[in-house]
């Protein structure tokens, strides 16, 4: 690929998250990285380049819905990093182009139905061309996917065998979901009402696994409150667990089931101790159940969908730098040792920025830089961050993204 003009193109650099990713790449890219920013409007892209203090930064102008333009873009770079969502609306042509041209690709999507669609449509072509396609490279799902990989590595080092089950718990966070994430959720809910395949995917805990690998011991995400024995606190459903759990299970399958065919993984969010914690957990479950049905019905109807788009946060907006710095997330993992033993392990993934923007943009930026540096040693196809870049990101994220992995006991 030495004849290509760029090592990396950041697609969607004029959006709020895209600007943050561009700033991260500016600050952490090697001096010889040939990179550019891309989007629909030249004037806006040149404005971003100026704001970055890089007036000579190359810009690539194209329309995300123009198949030929996306093919030209993919053919001229080794890696594409995309922040243009909802991806089910704006991202399909670019993934198709990267799969055809052998171009590595990463994005922030948590849209399960679109990920499944892209895997089914382009897996064979990506395998043949050598393109590594990585979805879910932000808060959903890197802290959880890499958190399980890290936990299992420590478990094997300490006890000589992997954990048979890992329980992920969002202990605390400060920061809101991004406008793009909310827009994507609205899109998923609308599709779930009108599309049988999307409904089936949301009911299948192994729905992102490769063909022939879609069975296992895990069930659907629980919606009822539960008192965790290991923390003594109540926990309830975590809204992003339908994405994260399926990504973790796909990682396990892509790695060849190193943790055993009976490996189990679940997620929840800690809500506190005592009656207040129990009520909070129950309220989240009811809210998600009722809200999912009502939200799906509303977002499926054109008039109410337009109304939702008016009142929900604009995908191009976000918090101030000060608010990003005050944000954080704290995810805990409890691993159960091999059957017949009492071995357990507790680990932690801590992020020092808000999850929706500050941390997400840095995690995506490091994924893109790792791909550009040739750190993915797997062949072509649709991969998860943990399966394609696990060891690389476990090094990069603590050094450059403020995301740390540690053992608690």
């Amino acid at each position: 690929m030495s004849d290509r003009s760029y090592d990396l193109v950041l697609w969607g650099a004029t959006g709020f998250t895209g600007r943050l990713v561009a700033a991260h790449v500016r600050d952490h890219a090697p001096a010889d990285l040939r990179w550019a920013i891309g989007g629909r409007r030249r004037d806006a892209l040149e404005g971003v380049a100026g704001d970055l203090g890089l007036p000579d930064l190359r810009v690539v102008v194209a329309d995300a819905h123009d198949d030929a333009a996306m093919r030209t873009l993919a053919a001229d770079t080794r890696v594409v990093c995309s922040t243009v969502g909802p991806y089910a609306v704006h991202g399909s042509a670019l993934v198709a182009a990267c799969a055809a041209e052998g171009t590595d690709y990463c994005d922030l999507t948590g849209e399960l139905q679109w990920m499944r669609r892209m895997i089914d449509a382009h897996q064979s072509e990506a395998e043949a061309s050598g393109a590594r396609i990585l979805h879910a490279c932000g808060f959903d799902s890197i802290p959880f996917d890499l958190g399980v990989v890290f936990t299992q590595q420590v478990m094997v080092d300490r006890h000589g065998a992997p954990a048979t089950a890992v329980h992920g718990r969002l202990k605390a966070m400060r920061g809101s979901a991004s406008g793009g994430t909310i827009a994507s959720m609205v899109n998923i809910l609308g599709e779930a009402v009108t599309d049988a395949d999307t409904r089936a995917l949301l009911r299948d805990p192994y729905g992102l696994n490769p063909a022939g690998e879609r069975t296992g011991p895990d069930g659907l995400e629980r919606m009822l409150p539960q008192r965790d024995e290991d923390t003594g606190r109540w926990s309830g459903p975590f809204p992003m667990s339908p994405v994260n759990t399926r990504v973790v299970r796909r990682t396990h399958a892509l790695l060849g089931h190193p943790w055993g065919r009976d490996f189990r993984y679940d997620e929840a969010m800690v809500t506190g101790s005592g009656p207040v914690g129990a009520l909070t957990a129950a309220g989240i479950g009811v809210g998600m159940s009722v809200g999912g049905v009502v939200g799906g019905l509303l977002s499926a109807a054109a008039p109410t969908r337009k109304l939702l788009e008016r009142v929900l946060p604009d995908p191009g907006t976000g918090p101030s730098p000060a608010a990003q710095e005050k944000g954080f997330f704290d995810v805990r993992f409890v691993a159960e040792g091999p059957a017949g033993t009492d071995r357990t392990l507790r680990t932690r993934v801590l992020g020092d920025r808000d999850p929706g923007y500050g941390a997400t943009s840095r995690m995506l930026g490091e994924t893109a830089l790792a791909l550009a540096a040739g750190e993915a040693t797997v062949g072509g196809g649709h991969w998860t961050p943990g399966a394609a870049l696990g060891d690389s990101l476990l090094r990069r994220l603590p050094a450059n993204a403020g995301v740390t992995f540690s053992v608690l006991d």
Side-chain angles (χ1 to χ4, degrees):
M1 294 188 180
S2 59
D3 60 335
R4 301 193 179 194
S5 299
Y6 308 109
D7 298 313
L8 171 64
V9 171
L10 300 183
W11 181 247
T14 59
F16 191 89
T17 303
R19 288 171 178 260
L20 294 176
V21 177
H24 184 85
V25 171
R26 175 200 61 195
D27 295 340
H28 295 279
D32 60 348
L33 185 77
R34 302 170 303 155
W35 66 291
I37 55 176
R40 288 183 299 125
R41 293 173 44 214
R42 179 175 296 277
D43 59 339
L45 290 167
E46 290 175 345
V48 171
D51 292 342
L52 291 171
L54 301 173
D56 295 327
L57 182 64
R58 298 284 295 276
V59 302
V60 178
V61 181
D63 185 333
H65 298 277
D66 184 332
D67 293 350
M70 291 297 96
R71 190 75 179 256
T72 299
L73 165 64
D76 205 27
T77 183
R78 294 173 46 241
V79 180
V80 172
C81 173
S82 175
T83 63
V84 180
Y87 292 88
V89 178
H90 303 297
S92 298
L94 182 53
V95 171
C98 288
E101 294 294 338
T103 303
D104 290 347
Y105 167 96
C106 58
D107 66 30
L108 294 170
T109 189
E111 298 161 66
L112 286 172
Q113 87 288 15
W114 183 71
M115 285 190 269
R116 175 80 267 164
R117 213 172 285 154
M118 294 298 97
I119 292 168
D120 292 343
H122 304 298
Q123 176 68 14
S124 296
E125 190 170 25
E127 289 177 356
S129 72
R132 277 72 64 100
I133 311 293
L134 276 65
H135 302 300
C137 299
F139 182 62
D140 49 322
S141 299
I142 278 182
F144 306 90
D145 189 28
L146 269 293
V148 174
V149 170
F150 171 76
T151 301
Q152 289 287 26
Q153 288 180 353
V154 177
M155 195 74 177
V156 171
D157 288 344
R158 283 193 173 186
H159 302 298
T164 56
V166 176
H167 311 289
R169 298 292 182 264
L170 177 65
K171 184 177 185 295
M173 75 173 189
R174 180 184 296 133
S176 60
S178 70
T181 296
I182 294 173
S184 295
M185 291 175 68
V186 169
N187 189 59
I188 293 171
L189 291 172
E191 286 200 33
V193 171
T194 60
D195 181 65
D197 289 340
T198 299
R199 292 195 298 274
L201 174 62
L202 294 174
R203 292 193 297 265
D204 183 356
Y206 293 88
L208 281 187
N209 276 28
E213 302 285 351
R214 295 175 189 166
T215 59
D218 282 326
L220 289 176
E221 292 67 36
R222 63 178 174 84
M223 302 302 289
L224 298 175
Q226 177 176 307
R227 193 173 185 86
D228 288 331
E229 293 182 4
D230 47 88
T231 64
R233 295 175 177 269
W234 289 96
S235 64
F238 176 39
M240 295 313 302
S241 66
V243 180
N244 298 331
T245 55
R246 286 161 177 79
V247 170
V248 168
R249 293 171 195 139
R250 181 172 175 83
T251 292
H252 186 216
L254 291 173
L255 292 175
H257 299 278
W259 312 323
R261 292 277 177 173
D262 59 347
F263 171 71
R264 293 175 290 113
Y265 177 67
D266 66 89
E267 278 182 12
M269 59 188 301
V270 177
T271 56
S273 58
V276 173
L279 288 172
T280 302
I284 293 171
V286 171
M288 285 179 60
S289 299
V290 175
V293 173
V294 174
L297 291 172
L298 288 174
S299 59
T304 52
R305 189 183 184 103
K306 289 183 178 180
L307 178 61
L308 285 171
E309 290 172 350
R310 284 183 196 162
V311 300
L312 291 174
D314 188 328
T317 62
S320 67
Q324 293 172 44
E325 291 178 6
K326 290 179 180 178
F328 73 94
F329 64 84
D330 185 347
V331 183
R332 306 294 176 92
F333 297 90
V334 178
E336 298 178 9
T341 73
D342 59 357
R343 295 169 183 166
T344 60
L345 177 70
R346 290 173 173 81
T347 62
R348 179 190 199 187
V349 180
L350 184 66
D352 68 357
R353 291 290 190 276
D354 74 297
Y357 296 93
T360 278
S361 61
R362 296 197 292 179
M363 287 186 280
L364 179 62
E366 285 303 309
T367 303
L369 290 171
L371 288 173
E375 295 173 12
T377 58
V378 296
H382 283 259
W383 295 89
T384 60
L389 290 169
D391 289 338
S392 173
L393 291 176
L394 286 173
R395 292 191 305 270
R396 282 179 167 274
L397 296 180
N400 302 325
V403 178
T404 57
F405 302 79
S406 59
V407 177
L408 297 178
D409 59 39

